[in-house]
Amino acid sequence: MAISQPATRPANPRFSSGPCAKPPTFDVTKLADAALGRSHRAAIGKDKLKAAIEGTREVLGIPADYKIGIVPASDTGAVEMALWSLLGARKVEMLAWESFGSGWVTDVVKQLKIDAEVKTADYGQIVDLASVDCNNDVVFTWNGTTAGVRVPNADWIADDREGLTICDATSAAFAMDLPWDKLDVTTFSWQKVLGGEAAHGMLILSPRAVERLESYTPAWPLPKIFRLTKGGKLIDGIFTGATINTPSMLAVEDYLFALDWARSVGGLKGLIARADANAQAVFDFCDANDWIANLAEDDATRSNTSVCLKFTDDRIKDGAAFAKAVAKRLENENIALDIGAYRDAPAGLRIWCGGTVETSDIEAMLPWLAWAFEAEIEAQA
Ligand SMILES: Cc1ncc(COP(=O)(O)O)c(C=O)c1O
């Protein structure tokens, strides 16, 4: 029999996996100091871009000798720049276990036509990391946003590797500990864990990645938007705030606000703790209910940001229609917005647990999920 609606509602129903919820203290008046209508090359614009770079370094604990650049086209732009600028110098291994990782495989194999070794795993699983040879260039996603599966650690990345590790960390940065000594190229977008705006990507380069850029020229042409070097030298300005092309100073201001908020909750440690608490509330809910389970098969690979869930009740007739209907009920009640599984992923739900989401909202939402499940089981019957 259907259960009645819970008494408590989440204060904020935004559980989207990107763009993610804004920080709880956000409102648009916080962006009043944006350098709008000014040149981004003027001192005021340059200072703000530099503050975004150095704030990123400070909050994420990125080593002083790593370069951090603000680049066009969100995380996709940052990843594509890295792939097109760096690959081709040595053998490449591509690792993929969900949609975005698979997208990078397509680009490298079909567009760049590199004869890469491709290692894939199904949704819910992860590739055999012990089999990866880091003397090759290795491209992987730290947290597979559409599967809710993340690498459990970086033990499989050799310290004395000859290849470069290129890591799409867009749904991991600011929620998981990233071991910078193991990562040569790391990318993320402001729109993810900090709840910023899309538009710009962050490209983080180790000294070895810079060395590659300065010693290797790819066989293919590079559009201006991808070019990181000039005359065989790194364009240093990109990494001090002189962006390749015009950035949105409104998005920059928003990111500066998000960084300030991050500091106010204890920086990276505080952000990780918030994501862990959110995800744990969902994990506990799955443990307590036999009709729902984490898509990640191994607990060590469970994401603490993009938590993906599958329905496991054998009364469900059409899995995809059922999951959609449950998500729709929650949206109609303004309890949870945008929690349907990613379009290429198995049927189910995806609940964003990054630090901008309040644990009290996750806890208020979950009983409603039970309500929507029961209501849909009854409707289906
Ligand atoms: C793992 C991963 N890579 C890349 C992207 C694309 O990011 P963007 O749209 O910010 O370029 C996403 C977006 O969700 C993602 O989750």
Side-chain angles (χ1 to χ4, degrees):
M1 207 179 71
I3 55 178
S4 54
Q5 290 192 340
T8 308
R9 299 173 159 267
N12 185 354
R14 290 175 177 81
F15 302 104
S16 153
S17 292
C20 301
K22 306 296 279 180
T25 54
F26 175 85
D27 79 80
V28 284
T29 62
K30 302 275 169 64
L31 309 184
D33 282 343
L36 303 184
R38 293 292 314 273
S39 167
H40 59 293
R41 313 258 185 228
I44 183 174
K46 268 194 156 160
D47 286 352
K48 284 182 185 284
L49 289 157
K50 205 162 176 205
I53 289 171
E54 291 314 318
T56 301
R57 189 186 307 280
E58 171 215 325
V59 175
L60 289 180
I62 299 171
D65 59 349
Y66 278 46
K67 303 277 184 185
I68 305 173
I70 298 171
V71 302
S74 208
D75 180 64
T76 309
V79 175
E80 295 287 2
M81 277 175 101
L83 301 182
W84 287 70
S85 301
L86 291 161
L87 293 186
R90 58 194 305 130
K91 198 180 155 193
V92 179
E93 272 188 58
M94 300 292 303
L95 315 183
W97 50 92
E98 51 80 63
S99 174
F100 285 102
S102 303
W104 308 140
V105 172
T106 301
D107 281 7
V108 168
V109 174
K110 296 229 167 94
Q111 296 293 320
L112 293 176
K113 304 199 189 317
I114 290 174
D115 183 22
E117 186 171 345
V118 178
K119 294 183 173 164
T120 60
D122 281 341
Y123 280 87
Q125 300 172 357
I126 196 162
V127 299
D128 176 15
L129 297 170
S131 75
V132 176
D133 179 358
C134 290
N135 288 326
N136 301 324
D137 289 339
V138 179
V139 180
F140 72 105
T141 304
W142 191 276
N143 180 75
T145 321
T146 65
V149 171
R150 64 169 163 182
V151 295
N153 55 55
D155 296 352
W156 50 282
I157 301 175
D159 289 330
D160 61 352
R161 64 192 174 278
E162 287 175 22
L164 298 178
T165 50
I166 299 178
C167 174
D168 173 357
T170 197
S171 54
F174 298 106
M176 305 175 199
D177 243 327
L178 296 174
W180 297 106
D181 57 327
K182 304 270 192 178
L183 303 177
D184 295 304
V185 179
T186 310
T187 67
F188 70 87
S189 167
W190 297 345
Q191 56 110 350
K192 277 279 185 293
V193 180
L194 284 194
E197 294 302 298
H200 304 298
M202 299 302 274
L203 179 68
I204 302 161
L205 304 174
S206 75
R208 291 179 59 247
V210 173
E211 195 183 295
R212 169 77 62 84
L213 283 169
E214 294 188 332
S215 61
Y216 163 72
T217 307
W220 42 81
L222 286 178
K224 173 178 174 174
I225 216 86
F226 283 2
R227 284 204 292 270
L228 293 165
T229 57
K230 192 173 177 189
K233 279 289 188 209
L234 192 74
I235 304 172
D236 229 28
I238 297 173
F239 303 92
T240 56
T243 48
I244 297 172
N245 65 337
T246 311
S248 158
M249 295 312 292
L250 193 59
V252 171
E253 195 69 17
D254 182 78
Y255 184 59
L256 293 175
F257 165 79
L259 285 170
D260 273 344
W261 172 79
R263 293 180 185 102
S264 78
V265 296
L268 182 59
K269 260 203 175 133
L271 289 168
I272 293 174
R274 288 174 67 92
D276 282 349
N278 289 340
Q280 192 59 51
V282 182
F283 300 163
D284 291 348
F285 181 81
C286 291
D287 289 344
N289 292 284
D290 60 6
W291 46 266
I292 195 159
N294 203 302
L295 188 59
E297 289 175 13
D298 175 357
D299 282 2
T301 67
R302 288 184 304 195
S303 174
N304 67 347
T305 56
S306 59
V307 179
C308 293
L309 305 175
K310 59 183 176 188
F311 292 103
T312 53
D313 192 300
D314 54 20
R315 288 171 294 175
I316 295 170
K317 292 176 185 135
D318 176 341
F322 186 88
K324 263 195 185 142
V326 168
K328 191 76 197 151
R329 275 180 196 271
L330 294 169
E331 183 186 322
N332 289 346
E333 295 287 343
N334 202 33
I335 294 297
L337 305 176
D338 313 320
I339 63 162
Y342 189 73
R343 56 178 187 263
D344 302 337
L349 303 176
R350 180 173 58 167
I351 297 165
W352 184 255
C353 288
T356 58
V357 172
E358 300 278 23
T359 307
S360 55
D361 286 339
I362 296 271
E363 288 168 345
M365 178 272 290
L366 290 169
W368 283 88
L369 173 51
W371 164 80
F373 168 77
E374 294 294 350
E376 203 46 44
I377 285 284
E378 193 168 272
Q380 178 198 255

